[in-house]
Structure formats: structure tokens, C-alpha cells
């Protein structure tokens, strides 16, 4: 048995059935085998390790998956929904109504495609796992998905099965037959390819007027347009663009077939009430501008918490890109048009000198479930976000990095790039959960809570040269400079250095974290960093982030319990 288990973090699956117009507002349900296999092929081209898994390995895997159609376990609580958008046209006064249909269901309910008689081993199974963990969406791009491979029967019930062998399967008052597109089995595709190429040759011979028949070379040239949409292997046929075969007069892929599945149809009303989604959007009744925006981050593979500074930088770049850029005529450098709360610099490109409390935005990646991978991004600004700034944040929907960039410059992708960039290899989708105040989010974001006792979540690096007293003295200086600790409270401030932190089952040292910004020319005098435990004289409301790159996820602290006697014994590192 083999199964691909798809989960959808947003609880939505967007896909238009083959041969249907998007404004028919229909949803491809169940997800077609053709769509699933094409997702694997596309992922191999965009994100796979081609050295470890060459194209021949992909071709063999696709052949195995196409031999038999999968069965499905579909969510029981599902609703056929849609949204409407009026898209601007060339004429500014003209708009066009576009429907965006989708299936909505609880984000915790997976869609499972199961091949009950298929067993993969060795390299084939390794390749499938490699591709599955890199799938970012299934269907349209807004249909964010995560995929895992199962080789044992899971806790799901098959409720949608292909019926060509047994027309009576699943025949109840609640079910109906659904026609879906699927790839031909490899042997059937080889036969169909030979038949179509033979027909193309017959057409050439029927219209041939010269006394001698065409040579093999001439025949190959004359049937080349047909041969181009009939690659040797099935994987090549799946990789074709829709326009490739439509230009040859085909209205559907020649390597495809129709299958009849029987399942419960989508309906505007669920069979049972859908649970209300907790989006984290707090309702605010006062007039204070919100200080926090929290985003869900989805994609495979998710970035490790050790790469927090990379994701923090990407988030800032993507937000600034919403405002565009100017060019400095003297130097040719890009100058952001974004407000200072996002840029953190004045018009001359220098850090804000009148901002000792660091009121401009913090871009703080979060590992909410403690598995060591970033799953949320929190943006915080002490003075809050106005309507224009909130609108820009709301438009940030994805982040990406490029494979070709050097390690220190890998965080360069922003929303101003295009989907056609050939070197994009990792991409993550973002969904804004809501705006609010720190206290609105503290249950889900511990570092927005209030406490006297704080412990490092990411390494603390000195913002300048380390002086006498090392990292402890530097942290003390920054706490006073920020106004978190007053001069008369310094005697009650306690800071201790720690050797490591533990995330899940891993013990991490500062050297395990990425500790550098991607920009060139920025001085960084402390490359080692340290973990600290801070006990403040009075409770302080987070976020508490100090030191170098603290606006991008380094030097972040989370509330903790009061230091135990055992911990004092294990980590007897003096303050100075």
C-alpha cells in the first residue's frame, strides 16, 4: 500500500476541472490523478535534487504511479464555496467578474490518495518522499498544501473509488458519478503514441505528390509537430504545457484518459456543521493602532528555526516591495519608498538615530509547535501600524529564496519578482491571521507575553565590539539603553550565560544558527554569539529582542520559569 496524504493549512482546495471555465465555479473533486502526478513532476523540475534523483528515476516513479488509479479518502465536512472578484480591464471603467471556487473543509482533515496494490522501495520511495515534502500547493497556487508519504494503512476510510471495474461501487442515494482526468498507463500510452504517430505518417503519405516516398529524415521532419506532443516516456507527456498540444489542435492531453469515480458530491451546505476556524484575528474596540501582525507560514520544506534571520529579512524585503523602489542617481542604489517603520532607516539610508527604543518593526519568525521549524512570522512595531501599513502587510502572501545566490545572499527573493524566475527553488506561502495588540496574541505567541524571567530562543550577538564583561555586560548595556531597565534598577538585574538550548530532541549551540545578515558592507564584530538567561527587576511585556539583527529574529527571548536550584548547579556561569 502507498498513499499521499495532503493537508491544506488554510482549509481550502482550489482547482478547476479539466475542460471547465473558471467562471463555471466548479471544483475538481476529487483531485484528479493527472493533477497529482503533474504536481510531482513540476516539483522535480523546480525543487528536487537532480544529482541524487535523475530524470530516469522520476520517469520510473511516474510509470509506477500511473499503472492503476488511486482510491481517495475525502473529508466528510466539506463545502463548495466561492468568492467573487471584479478584475480591472484595459478600459479603466470596465471590470470583469471572476469566480474563485474552492472546497472548504477543516484544515486538520486530509485528502488521501491511496494506491492499495502499489509498493515502492529503495530509490523510488526515497524520491517520492523527497518530492512530497517539497510540494507547496495542489491545484491553483493559492491552494497551499503539505504532503507526506504513507506506506501503512492510516486512520482514514476510503470513500471515493474508481468504478470502471465495478459500476455498482458506492452506489447510494448520497453519491454520484464524477468524471476525472487521469494519465494512461505506460503500456497504453506507448500503444497510443505509436497509433497517433502512425496516423500522422499516413496523413503525410496521403498528401504526398512526389514520385519517390519521403525518406525517414524527411518523414521525421514532417511529423515533428505531432511527435513534439508525444514524448517517448509518460513523464514527458505530463510535463507538457497546455498550450503545447492545444497549438496542435488537441483539446486535451493525448496521454490522458477519463475515469469514473463515485463519491459524495460537493454541496453549498455541509453534511455536518463545520467547526469555526480560530484565525487568531482579535476583535478590537479601541482606537489604538494594532502593534502586531501574525502570519501563518506554509510550504515544504519549512525553514528551520536556525535560519530565523533569513526568514526575518525575507519578510521585511517582501513588505517593502509592496511600496516599490527609487534609484539613487549618484550611486545607482535602490532606495525603498516604504515608510520608516518598515525600513528602519532615514531618507539617507542611515539607521534611525532618534529611535533608541527601536520602535520600528521587528520581523520575528516563530516555531509555534516546538518542532524546530518556523511555522509563523510575527511583525511587531511599538508605535503600531496605520491603515496604509496594514494594507501592505495584508498583501504579503509569499516568500522565496534562490538556489543560485551565495549563502550570505540567499535571502533576496521578494514579491516584486516573477513566477517565471528559473532559479527559484524554495518558496513559502503566507496567510495573515490578524492584527492586534501583544496581549491579544500572547496565548499563541509566548514571546509577546509578560514576565520577569526570559531565556534565549535564538543567539544573542553584540551589536558592536565585545567589551569587558562579554555578552552579559553587552546585554545589560542594551537593556538600560532601551529603557527596559532604569539606572537605579541595574543592581537587581541578573543575567547569566548559557551553553546551549534544547529544541525538541536537539541540543543547539549558538554556532548552529545562521548569525549573519545578507547585506554587504555591514559591520559585524561578534560572530559567535551566546545564549542568555535574564531576570528583570520588574515584569516586562515582550517582545524582548536584543543585539545584532534583533529586528530579524536573532537575540530573541521567551518567558520562562524562575531559575531552579538544579539549573543553578548545572550552569554556574558567572555574570562577569
Amino acid at each position: 500500500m502507498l498513499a499521499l496524504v495532503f493537508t491544506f493549512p488554510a482549509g481550502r482546495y482550489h482547482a478547476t476541472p479539466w475542460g471547465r471555465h473558471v467562471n463555471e465555479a466548479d471544483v475538481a473533486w476529487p483531485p484528479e490523478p493527472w493533477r497529482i502526478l503533474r504536481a510531482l513532476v513540476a516539483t522535480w523540475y523546480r525543487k528536487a535534487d537532480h544529482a541524487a534523483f535523475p530524470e530516469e528515476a522520476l520517469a520510473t516513479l511516474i510509470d509506477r504511479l500511473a499503472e492503476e488509479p488511486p482510491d481517495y479518502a475525502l473529508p466528510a465536512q466539506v463545502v463548495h464555496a466561492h468568492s467573487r472578484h471584479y478584475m480591472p480591464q484595459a478600459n479603466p471603467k470596465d471590470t470583469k467578474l471572476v469566480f474563485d471556487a474552492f472546497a472548504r473543509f477543516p484544515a486538520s482533515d486530509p485528502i488521501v490518495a491511496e494506491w492499495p496494490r502499489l509498493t515502492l522501495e529503495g530509490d523510488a520511495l526515497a524520491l517520492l518522499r523527497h518530492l512530497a515534502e517539497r510540494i507547496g500547493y495542489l491545484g491553483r497556487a493559492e491552494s497551499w498544501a503539505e504532503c507526506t508519504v504513507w506506506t501503512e494503512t492510516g486512520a482514514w476510510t476510503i470513500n471515493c473509488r474508481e468504478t470502471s471495474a465495478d459500476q455498482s461501487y458506492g452506489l447510494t442515494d448520497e453519491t454520484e458519478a464524477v468524471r476525472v482526468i487521469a494519465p494512461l498507463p505506460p503500456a497504453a500510452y506507448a500503444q497510443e503514441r505509436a497509433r497517433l504517430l502512425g496516423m500522422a505518417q499516413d496523413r503525410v503519405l496521403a498528401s504526398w505528390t512526389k514520385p519517390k516516398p519521403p525518406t525517414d529524415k524527411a518523414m521525421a521532419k514532417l511529423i515533428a509537430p505531432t511527435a513534439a506532443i508525444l514524448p517517448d516516456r509518460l513523464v514527458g507527456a505530463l510535463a507538457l504545457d497546455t498550450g503545447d498540444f492545444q497549438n496542435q489542435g488537441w483539446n486535451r492531453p493525448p496521454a490522458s484518459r477519463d475515469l469514473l469515480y463515485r463519491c459524495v458530491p460537493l454541496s453549498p451546505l455541509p453534511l455536518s456543521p463545520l467547526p469555526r476556524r480560530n484565525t487568531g484575528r482579535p476583535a478590537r474596540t479601541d482606537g489604538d493602532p494594532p502593534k502586531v501582525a501574525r502570519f501563518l507560514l506554509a510550504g515544504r520544506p519549512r525553514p528551520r528555526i536556525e535560519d530565523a534571520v533569513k526568514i526575518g529579512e525575507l519578510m521585511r524585503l517582501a513588505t517593502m516591495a509592496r511600496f516599490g523602489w527609487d534609484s539613487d542617481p549618484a550611486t545607482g542604489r535602490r532606495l525603498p519608498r516604504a515608510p520608516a517603520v518598515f525600513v528602519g532607516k532615514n531618507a539617507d539610508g542611515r539607521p534611525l538615530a532618534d529611535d533608541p527604543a527601536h520602535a520600528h518593526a521587528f520581523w520575528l519568525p516563530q516555531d509555534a509547535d516546538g518542532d524546530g521549524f518556523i511555522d509563523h512570522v510575527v511583525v511587531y512595531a511599538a508605535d503600531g501600524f496605520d491603515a496604509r501599513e496594514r494594507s501592505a502587510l495584508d498583501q504579503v502572501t509569499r516568500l522565496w529564496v534562490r538556489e543560485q545566490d551565495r549563502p550570505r545572499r540567499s535571502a533576496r527573493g521578494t514579491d516584486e519578482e516573477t513566477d517565471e524566475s528559473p532559479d527559484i527553488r524554495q518558496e513559502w506561502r503566507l496567510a495573515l491571521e490578524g492584527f492586534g495588540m501583544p496581549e491579544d496574541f500572547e496565548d499563541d505567541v509566548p514571546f509577546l507575553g509578560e514576565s520577569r524571567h526570559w531565556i534565549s530562543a535564538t543567539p544573542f550577538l553584540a551589536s558592536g565590539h565585545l567589551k569587558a564583561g562579554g555578552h552579559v555586560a553587552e546585554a545589560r548595556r542594551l537593556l538600560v539603553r532601551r529603557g527596559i531597565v532604569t539606572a537605579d534598577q541595574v543592581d537587581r538585574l541578573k543575567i547569566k550565560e548559557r551553553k546551549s538550548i534544547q529544541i525538541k530532541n536537539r541540543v543547539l549551540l549558538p554556532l548552529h544558527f545562521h548569525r549573519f545578515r545578507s547585506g554587504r558592507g555591514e559591520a559585524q564584530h561578534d560572530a559567535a554569539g551566546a545564549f542568555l538567561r535574564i531576570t528583570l527587576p520588574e515584569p516586562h511585556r515582550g517582545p524582548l529582542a536584543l543585539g545584532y539583527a534583533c529586528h530579524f529574529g536573532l537575540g530573541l527571548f521567551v518567558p520562562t520559569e524562575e531559575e531552579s536550584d538544579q539549573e543553578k548547579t548545572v550552569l554556574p556561569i558567572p555574570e562577569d
Side-chain angles (χ1 to χ4, degrees):
M1 194 282 291
L2 182 78
L4 292 176
V5 180
F6 295 92
T7 55
F8 296 80
R12 293 184 175 190
Y13 165 69
H14 303 249
T16 302
W18 183 267
R20 306 293 293 274
H21 191 275
V22 64
N23 269 12
E24 295 182 56
D26 200 1
V27 178
W29 192 258
E32 309 99 318
W34 180 269
R35 187 184 303 274
I36 293 174
L37 266 60
R38 272 179 60 89
L40 294 173
V41 173
T43 302
W44 182 87
Y45 276 104
R46 293 290 297 273
K47 300 179 180 179
D49 183 349
H50 293 177
F53 302 103
E55 188 170 6
E56 178 59 30
L58 175 68
T60 302
L61 173 64
I62 294 300
D63 286 348
R64 297 288 304 279
L65 293 173
E67 285 287 355
E68 294 184 357
D71 299 334
Y72 292 92
L74 303 175
Q77 296 176 316
V78 60
V79 171
H80 185 178
H82 74 271
S83 59
R84 304 183 183 195
H85 310 271
Y86 288 88
M87 306 297 290
Q89 306 298 303
N91 182 353
K93 297 182 179 180
D94 184 25
T95 57
K96 186 175 183 63
L97 176 61
V98 175
F99 287 85
D100 178 12
F102 54 89
R104 177 181 167 238
F105 44 87
S108 58
D109 290 359
I111 294 177
V112 182
E114 178 185 295
W115 287 261
R117 289 173 291 277
L118 177 61
T119 301
L120 294 180
E121 297 177 346
D123 292 343
L125 182 59
L127 172 57
L128 184 59
R129 294 187 189 278
H130 180 76
L131 297 177
E133 69 180 10
R134 285 162 173 77
I135 287 178
Y137 62 90
L138 181 68
R140 292 201 295 276
E142 61 268 35
S143 188
W144 311 334
E146 297 179 351
C147 182
T148 55
V149 178
W150 284 58
T151 56
E152 298 180 0
T153 302
W156 55 75
T157 301
I158 298 300
N159 54 13
C160 180
R161 184 173 293 153
E162 195 262 331
T163 63
S164 60
D166 182 5
Q167 294 292 336
S168 65
Y169 167 77
L171 187 60
T172 69
D173 293 339
E174 295 180 345
T175 63
E176 68 176 22
V178 180
R179 195 174 300 276
V180 301
I181 186 172
L184 289 168
Y189 172 67
Q191 294 176 0
E192 181 68 3
R193 179 176 183 272
R195 185 183 72 85
L196 293 174
L197 290 176
M199 291 176 60
Q201 292 177 356
D202 292 342
R203 288 194 297 270
V204 171
L205 294 175
S207 61
W208 191 259
T209 58
K210 296 182 180 180
K212 292 184 178 181
T215 63
D216 292 344
K217 183 177 181 180
M219 178 63 76
K221 184 176 181 180
L222 291 170
I223 67 170
T226 301
I229 61 170
L230 294 168
D232 294 339
R233 298 291 294 272
L234 181 60
V235 66
L238 283 163
L240 289 174
D241 188 76
T242 304
D244 295 334
F245 51 83
Q246 287 183 341
N247 291 337
Q248 300 301 319
W250 292 78
N251 62 2
R252 60 176 297 141
S256 67
R257 57 174 172 161
D258 281 336
L259 295 177
L260 201 63
Y261 278 79
R262 187 167 288 278
C263 63
V264 176
L266 291 177
S267 169
L269 297 176
L271 296 178
S272 56
L274 283 171
R276 183 177 179 86
R277 289 183 62 210
N278 179 14
T279 63
R281 297 176 182 265
R284 299 214 54 82
T285 58
D286 54 49
D288 295 335
K291 299 181 179 182
V292 177
R294 189 180 189 225
F295 294 81
L296 171 71
L297 183 144
R300 287 295 183 96
R302 284 187 290 135
R304 289 181 177 272
I305 192 62
E306 294 97 306
D307 291 327
V309 67
K310 294 183 180 180
I311 300 302
E313 284 194 299
L314 277 175
M315 190 69 192
R316 173 175 174 262
L317 283 171
T319 305
M320 291 195 302
R322 310 316 306 170
F323 296 90
W325 312 84
D326 291 324
S327 178
D328 187 338
T331 63
R333 294 179 56 191
R334 291 195 314 173
L335 300 176
R337 299 174 189 160
V341 66
F342 293 144
V343 181
K345 298 179 181 179
N346 58 26
D348 298 328
R350 298 181 178 276
L352 297 174
D354 57 348
D355 188 22
H358 289 236
H360 58 288
F362 287 78
W363 316 86
L364 305 175
Q366 181 195 5
D367 171 20
D369 56 8
D371 64 352
F373 294 90
I374 297 170
D375 46 42
H376 288 79
V377 180
V378 175
V379 186
Y380 169 83
D383 292 337
F385 303 109
D386 62 25
R388 178 169 173 253
E389 292 156 359
R390 294 197 299 272
S391 176
L393 288 168
D394 194 25
Q395 296 176 50
V396 180
T397 58
R398 62 175 179 160
L399 307 174
W400 67 65
V401 293
R402 296 178 177 179
E403 186 179 73
Q404 72 171 16
D405 289 336
R406 296 178 300 170
R408 288 194 60 182
R409 295 184 58 79
S410 61
R412 305 302 293 176
T414 71
D415 272 11
E416 66 177 352
E417 306 289 350
T418 63
D419 287 338
E420 286 72 25
S421 301
D423 49 355
I424 294 173
R425 285 297 180 271
Q426 283 185 282
E427 180 177 324
W428 301 279
R429 296 284 169 169
L430 293 168
L432 176 65
E433 290 189 341
F435 294 99
M437 294 298 186
E439 55 269 25
D440 297 322
F441 291 93
E442 62 180 320
D443 290 341
D444 297 317
V445 187
F447 60 71
L448 294 179
E450 188 175 38
S451 178
R452 287 184 58 221
H453 308 282
W454 297 81
I455 194 168
S456 288
T458 57
F460 166 77
L461 279 73
S463 54
H465 290 286
L466 274 179
K467 301 177 178 61
H471 292 98
V472 171
E474 175 71 3
R476 183 183 291 112
R477 181 185 71 84
L478 292 175
L479 287 167
V480 173
R481 184 174 185 270
R482 291 270 195 94
I484 298 172
V485 176
T486 61
D488 59 350
Q489 293 177 326
V490 172
D491 293 341
R492 293 189 289 141
L493 172 64
K494 298 180 181 179
I495 305 177
K496 290 189 176 183
E497 191 168 339
R498 298 172 57 87
K499 296 179 180 179
S500 63
I501 61 174
Q502 183 168 336
I503 298 179
K504 205 171 182 180
N505 297 323
R506 297 185 298 141
V507 176
L508 299 180
L509 303 175
L511 296 179
H512 289 137
F513 285 77
H514 191 87
R515 305 176 310 285
F516 306 94
R517 293 280 309 279
S518 62
R520 291 174 291 184
E522 182 175 0
Q524 179 178 355
H525 304 290
D526 178 14
F531 295 126
L532 302 177
R533 181 187 182 98
I534 299 176
T535 300
L536 299 172
E538 302 292 340
H540 174 74
R541 166 74 64 183
L544 179 60
L546 303 170
Y548 174 82
C550 64
H551 284 264
F552 305 98
L554 289 181
L556 180 64
F557 293 81
V558 294
T560 186
E561 300 295 330
E562 186 174 0
E563 188 176 20
S564 64
D565 293 337
Q566 181 181 6
E567 189 175 9
K568 293 177 182 178
T569 304
V570 173
L571 298 171
I573 301 176
E575 293 188 24
D576 297 313

